[in-house]
């Protein structure tokens, strides 16, 4: 490496990279529309609560704060997604620097910046962004707690895991990761039943109180939601095609060469470095959660983003493994360079996918909504309706955000707890009630509750929402009258 490069202050360089890329992401976040889940969480933020049907409350709290600062805009919704993603980058750098050195930490940050899944997640305001942030924060606090002998650090660790749990229930598995490490490391087993571990668990329970109180108030709605989302609605079945789909999706969202590198590093370190304390620590924050989702994938592949917290430490041990391999066998550096280039091309490409066919566009879920709203607004005026109903939470949420007056939108009455809409006040029928019912396709059957309220339901518009002249979403508008 040239001498002048060795003189660069790496910490300042990382701060510069994080700030510059953060500014770019704040700008780019306003260039693409919301995905349906973001619009749904925005509706949550308009109904402040201790928790919500599908997830914990943190994403709604962050959106509430962002929209208070910047209005009910895409920027306001996504502001804290970018801020927390910058925080994740800094936490990865801090952890890798603490474990190894600044140059290793720099490579870890660079890898995190070009992994497609993490790049996209840094812009969208979904539950993954706060989940990964609090996971990374808890990893750093756990390492500090093991070495500074302060019981207060264990308390803060419990709060960090609890805050992550408020963002995404997956973060509760981090307690298992912590226990796994304490069992694995002989010198730290003494913590397993120490006062410090009980302080951590007490802090976790304290942080989780909003979810507990909300479930008591609502009749344990979260148990219903978790059962429906687990993919195991009746009984567990081994479906090889689902597991293969899980693996293939992981290779796509992480990038193929990086995923090969992570798998190779995991196996190699387990075989040759499993007694190394740092490797034990890093793997303990990776293996339990990844293996859990791999097990569930035998029945249902799930979503590829579910595993994203594991890459906080997965990136670090992968960089360390390949750094040592390149030192021993320099020819492997070409493979490392290729992995970074390939992932970088994928990530850059994700920022402009308009040239792709709609059915293959990974960002297609964020496109076409202004045209979608324009058709609905014209139908509202033409048919003089006073109610707007969505066939599902996606159509209802997107209508609520993208229509000019951001009106109150409902779903047809449904079973209690089947969606967040069933926990909010619904519309009241009057002799003058006229509604538009929005669905993604031609409906052969309507909800019984809707048909009872509106005996006459007719299709009044059937269109493809356009984005820059390209058809994106098939939408049907029905007029519901008495």
């Amino acid at each position: 490496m040239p001498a002048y490069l060795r003189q660069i202050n790496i910490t300042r360089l990382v701060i510069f990279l994080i700030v510059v890329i953060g500014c770019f992401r704040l700008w780019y976040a306003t260039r693409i529309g919301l995905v349906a889940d973001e619009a749904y969480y925005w509706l949550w933020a308009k109904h402040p609560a201790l928790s919500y049907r599908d997830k914990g409350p943190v994403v709604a709290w962050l959106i509430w704060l962002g929209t208070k600062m910047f209005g009910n805009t895409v920027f306001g919704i996504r502001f804290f997604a970018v801020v927390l993603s910058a925080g994740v980058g800094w936490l990865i750098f801090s952890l890798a620097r603490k474990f190894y050195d600044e140059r290793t930490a720099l490579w870890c940050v660079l890898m995190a910046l070009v992994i497609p899944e993490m790049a996209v997640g840094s812009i969208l305001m979904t539950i993954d962004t706060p989940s990964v942030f609090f996971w990374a924060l808890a990893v750093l606090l756990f390492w500090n707690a093991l070495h500074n002998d302060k019981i207060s650090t264990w308390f803060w660790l419990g709060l960090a895991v609890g805050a992550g749990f408020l963002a995404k229930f997956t973060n509760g598995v981090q307690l298992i990761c912590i226990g796994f490490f304490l069992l694995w490391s002989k010198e730290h087993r003494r913590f397993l039943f120490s006062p410090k571990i009980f302080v951590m668990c007490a802090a976790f329970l304290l942080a989780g109180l909003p979810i507990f109180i909300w479930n008591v108030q609502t009749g344990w709605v979260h148990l219903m939601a978790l059962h429906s989302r687990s993919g195991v609605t009746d009984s567990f079945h081994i479906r090889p095609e689902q597991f293969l789909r899980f693996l293939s999706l992981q290779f796509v969202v992480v990038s193929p060469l990086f995923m090969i590198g992570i798998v190779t590093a995991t196996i190699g370190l387990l075989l040759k470095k499993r007694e190394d304390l740092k490797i034990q620590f890093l793997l303990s924050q990776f293996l339990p959660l990844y293996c859990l989702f791999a097990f569930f994938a035998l029945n249902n592949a799930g979503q590829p983003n579910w595993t994203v917290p594991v890459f906080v430490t997965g990136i670090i041990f992968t960089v360390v493994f390949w750094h040592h391999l390149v030192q021993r066998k320099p020819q492997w550096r070409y493979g490392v360079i290729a992995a970074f280039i390939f992932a970088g091309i994928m990530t850059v490409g994700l920022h402009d996918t308009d040239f792709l066919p709609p059915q293959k566009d990974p960002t297609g879920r964020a496109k076409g909504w202004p045209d979608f709203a324009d058709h609905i607004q014209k139908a509202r005026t033409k048919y003089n309706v006073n109610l707007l109903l969505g066939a599902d939470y996606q159509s209802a949420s997107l209508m609520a955000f993208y229509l000019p007056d951001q009106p109150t939108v409902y779903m047809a009455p449904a079973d209690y707890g089947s969606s967040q809409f069933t926990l909010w006040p619904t519309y009241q029928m009057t002799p003058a009630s006229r509604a538009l019912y929005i669905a993604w396709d031609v409906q052969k059957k309507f909800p019984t509750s809707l048909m009872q309220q509106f005996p006459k339901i007719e299709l009044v518009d059937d269109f493809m929402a356009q984005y820059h002249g390209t058809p994106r979403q098939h939408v049907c508008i029905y007029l519901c009258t008495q």
Side-chain angles (χ1 to χ4, degrees):
M1 181 181 291
Y4 71 91
L5 289 179
R6 294 183 181 276
Q7 297 174 1
I8 292 176
N9 185 303
I10 291 180
T11 299
R12 290 180 181 176
L13 174 61
V14 168
I15 292 172
F16 175 78
L17 282 173
I18 290 174
V19 170
V20 169
I21 292 175
C23 289
F24 166 77
R25 287 170 172 170
L26 284 173
W27 169 81
Y28 182 77
T30 64
R31 311 300 294 177
I32 59 173
L34 298 181
V35 298
D37 281 356
E38 290 179 291
Y40 191 33
Y41 301 148
W42 169 73
L43 280 181
W44 292 7
K46 292 171 74 67
H47 299 79
L50 293 176
S51 194
Y52 299 87
R53 185 266 182 187
D54 302 270
K55 308 288 189 301
V58 164
V59 66
W61 293 351
L62 290 171
I63 291 174
W64 179 87
L65 182 57
T67 52
K68 286 295 180 183
M69 294 166 61
F70 303 108
N72 290 307
T73 62
V74 172
F75 185 86
I77 291 172
R78 289 177 170 162
F79 176 76
F80 281 105
V82 176
V83 171
L84 291 182
S85 297
V88 170
W90 179 253
L91 287 169
I92 289 175
F93 176 77
S94 300
L95 188 64
R97 181 177 58 179
K98 187 180 289 286
F99 271 45
Y100 297 101
D101 55 65
E102 284 191 331
R103 295 196 178 278
T104 299
L106 172 61
W107 282 106
C108 292
V109 172
L110 293 175
M111 183 173 174
L113 289 175
V114 296
I115 288 179
E117 181 176 48
M118 297 187 76
V120 171
S122 68
I123 294 169
L124 304 182
M125 188 66 251
T126 66
I127 58 172
D128 289 312
T129 306
S131 166
V132 176
F133 173 81
F134 286 115
W135 186 284
L137 179 61
V139 172
L140 186 59
L141 286 170
F142 182 34
W143 182 255
N144 290 340
L146 293 171
H147 294 87
N148 66 13
D149 202 34
K150 294 180 180 179
I151 200 165
S152 60
T153 309
W154 290 88
F155 180 79
W156 288 111
L157 169 61
L159 287 183
V161 178
F165 185 73
L166 291 180
K168 190 174 185 179
F169 300 144
T170 296
N171 285 58
V173 180
Q174 197 163 26
L175 295 177
I176 297 175
C177 296
I178 290 169
F180 180 66
F181 171 76
L182 296 179
L183 280 171
W184 193 355
S185 172
K186 293 180 181 179
E187 66 180 280
H188 295 102
R189 284 177 193 164
R190 57 191 171 88
F191 288 115
L192 269 174
F193 298 103
S194 70
K196 293 176 180 178
I197 206 75
F198 289 110
V199 167
M200 179 194 73
C201 291
F204 172 79
L205 293 174
L206 178 64
L209 271 179
I211 286 179
F212 176 79
I213 294 171
W214 182 85
N215 274 285
V216 170
Q217 293 172 340
T218 59
W220 297 96
V221 168
H222 275 153
L223 295 181
M224 186 189 314
L226 287 172
H227 180 67
S228 67
R229 290 179 61 84
S230 67
V232 188
T233 53
D234 296 310
S235 60
F236 190 93
H237 297 284
I238 294 180
R239 300 181 174 94
E241 73 281 1
Q242 288 294 314
F243 186 72
L244 290 175
R245 183 171 183 269
F246 166 78
L247 292 178
S248 63
L249 288 173
Q250 292 297 299
F251 274 78
V252 169
V253 299
V254 177
S255 91
L257 294 181
F258 272 166
M259 197 64 206
I260 291 171
I262 291 170
V263 172
T264 304
T266 303
I267 296 172
L269 293 171
L270 281 172
L271 291 176
K272 296 184 178 180
K273 294 282 188 178
R274 59 181 177 273
E275 300 303 322
D276 185 298
L277 179 64
K278 294 176 182 178
I279 296 302
Q280 289 177 346
F281 183 89
L282 295 171
L283 286 172
S284 71
Q285 293 289 319
F286 178 93
L287 289 173
L289 182 59
Y290 206 88
C291 290
L292 178 66
F293 282 123
F295 171 75
F296 280 118
L298 292 170
N299 176 75
N300 185 286
Q303 297 299 319
N305 61 296
W306 290 356
T307 61
V308 68
V310 305
F311 297 112
V312 169
T313 57
I315 286 171
I316 297 173
F317 69 68
T318 299
V319 168
V320 170
F321 175 85
W322 285 95
H323 174 68
H324 290 160
L325 184 60
V326 168
Q327 284 185 323
R328 296 196 310 271
K329 299 179 180 180
Q331 63 270 27
W332 277 107
R333 68 180 180 272
Y334 298 112
V336 172
I337 293 170
F340 271 89
I341 292 174
F342 191 81
I345 291 173
M346 288 181 66
T347 296
V348 170
L350 282 173
H351 288 78
D352 186 6
T353 57
D354 291 351
F355 64 93
L356 292 173
Q359 63 274 19
K360 295 184 179 180
D361 186 352
T363 63
R365 295 181 303 144
K367 296 175 179 177
W369 304 132
D371 187 54
F372 161 84
D374 185 58
H375 278 78
I376 296 171
Q377 182 64 20
K378 288 177 180 177
R380 287 175 75 188
T381 304
K382 180 177 180 180
Y383 297 105
N384 191 30
V385 299
N386 49 26
L387 284 175
L388 294 170
L389 308 176
D392 49 34
Y393 79 85
Q394 293 98 331
S395 55
S397 302
L398 289 163
M399 270 194 287
F401 182 81
Y402 278 101
L403 284 170
D405 54 338
Q406 294 188 331
T408 300
V409 181
Y410 304 93
M411 288 178 60
D415 293 338
Y416 177 77
S418 58
S419 79
Q420 182 64 36
F421 283 87
T422 66
L423 307 182
W424 294 328
T426 189
Y427 55 90
Q428 300 298 316
M429 289 293 296
T430 70
S433 292
R434 294 166 60 85
L436 292 181
Y437 179 76
I438 312 302
W440 297 120
D441 212 334
V442 176
Q443 299 288 288
K444 296 180 180 178
K445 187 177 181 181
F446 297 95
T448 302
S449 60
L450 184 69
M451 295 172 66
Q452 290 173 343
Q453 294 175 334
F454 298 101
K456 186 178 181 182
I457 303 176
E458 58 181 315
L459 181 66
V460 294
D461 198 359
D462 180 355
F463 64 97
M464 294 293 294
Q466 302 284 314
Y467 176 77
H468 292 175
T470 304
R472 290 286 171 171
Q473 310 287 343
H474 184 206
V475 185
C476 294
I477 302 179
Y478 294 87
L479 177 64
C480 306
T481 54
Q482 300 177 71

